[in-house]
Amino acid sequence: MAMVGLFWIVEGDVYVGAKPSGHAPGVRLTSEGVVGLGDGQSGLHLWEDVRALTVGGVPVTSLMRQVGAVAEVALVTVKELALPMGMGPEVEAPPLMTVCVDAADGEYELGAYAAAAVGYTQTEADLSRALLSRLTEGAATMQTTLAAMSEWGRAWEGGSAPRKAEREELLRGWLG
C-alpha cells in the first residue's frame, strides 16, 4: 500500500484519502464507478453518470501544521507519563475530506479521511484534483488511468513509500 497524492493504492485498489476500515467513511474508485463506503454513504455512482468529481477540505502541508503535529505528539507523551495507567491517549480522527460527485441524478458528498499525517503538498493536491477531473472525461480515459494506477499499486506492494518527487512524477504520468 502506498499514498500517492490524495490516493491510497493497495493491491490494485484505488481510494481517495485513506482506505477505510469498519464503518469509517471512505471513497473507492473502481472500473464501474465511484463507491461510497462506510456508514451513511454506501452506494455506487456509475462513471457513465458522473459529470464531475472534486474534493474539498484537503489538508495542505504547512509549517504550522507540521509544528502542530510535533507538539501534539509531545503533549500525548507527557499525558501518558503523567496520568495513571488506564487513562490512554485520546485518539483524534484525521481530517475529513469531502469528495463531491456531480452525477446525472444529483450531487453527492462523500467523506474520506486524509491519509497524510501532516497534510498533502500543494502540488500533490493540485495534481490529484486534476487527475480526479480527468477520470470523468470518458470511459477510455478513466479505464486507462485507473488501470495504470492499479497496476502500479500491485507492482509496488510491499515497497517503501515513494518520496515526494516520485509521487509527483507518478501523478503527472497518470495525467498523461
Side-chain angles (χ1 to χ4, degrees), residues 68-118:
V70 170
E72 184 177 337
V73 168
L75 182 60
V76 167
T77 302
V78 169
K79 270 176 69 174
E80 286 178 358
L81 293 173
L83 293 176
M85 297 304 275
M87 300 280 295
E90 294 177 19
V91 178
E92 187 175 316
L96 187 65
M97 301 183 298
T98 304
V99 179
C100 299
V101 181
D102 182 4
D105 63 344
E107 292 185 14
Y108 301 89
E109 290 188 356
L110 305 173
Y113 286 121
V118 294

Side-chain angles (χ1 to χ4, degrees), residues 3 59 65 69 94-95 114-120:
M3 182 182 67
R65 186 177 291 281
V118 294
Y120 302 93

Side-chain angles (χ1 to χ4, degrees), residues 8 14 16 23 26-27 32 44 64 79 82 93 95 97 99 119 125-127 130 144 147-150 156 167 173 175:
W8 190 259
V14 180
V16 178
H23 298 288
V27 176
E32 291 82 29
L44 170 66
M64 289 306 292
K79 270 176 69 174
M97 301 183 298
V99 179
D126 292 343
L127 289 169
T144 303
M149 295 171 80
S150 296
W156 190 265
R167 294 189 310 261
L175 275 167

Side-chain angles (χ1 to χ4, degrees), residues 42-173:
S42 297
L44 170 66
H45 304 281
L46 299 173
W47 285 116
E48 62 198 40
D49 297 330
V50 176
R51 297 185 295 218
L53 192 57
T54 59
V55 63
V58 176
V60 177
T61 302
S62 68
L63 179 58
M64 289 306 292
R65 186 177 291 281
Q66 291 172 340
V67 168
V70 170
E72 184 177 337
V73 168
L75 182 60
V76 167
T77 302
V78 169
K79 270 176 69 174
E80 286 178 358
L81 293 173
L83 293 176
M85 297 304 275
M87 300 280 295
E90 294 177 19
V91 178
E92 187 175 316
L96 187 65
M97 301 183 298
T98 304
V99 179
C100 299
V101 181
D102 182 4
D105 63 344
E107 292 185 14
Y108 301 89
E109 290 188 356
L110 305 173
Y113 286 121
V118 294
Y120 302 93
T121 67
Q122 187 64 57
T123 302
E124 284 184 272
D126 292 343
L127 289 169
S128 296
R129 285 181 170 126
L131 189 54
L132 285 169
S133 178
R134 181 167 169 68
L135 291 173
T136 65
E137 291 177 359
T141 300
M142 179 276 302
Q143 290 289 346
T144 303
T145 304
L146 275 181
M149 295 171 80
S150 296
E151 182 180 317
W152 178 86
R154 284 188 291 277
W156 190 265
E157 195 62 33
S160 59
R163 296 195 178 274
K164 177 184 159 202
E166 186 174 1
R167 294 189 310 261
E168 290 176 6
E169 182 179 327
L170 283 165
L171 290 166
R172 285 186 181 95

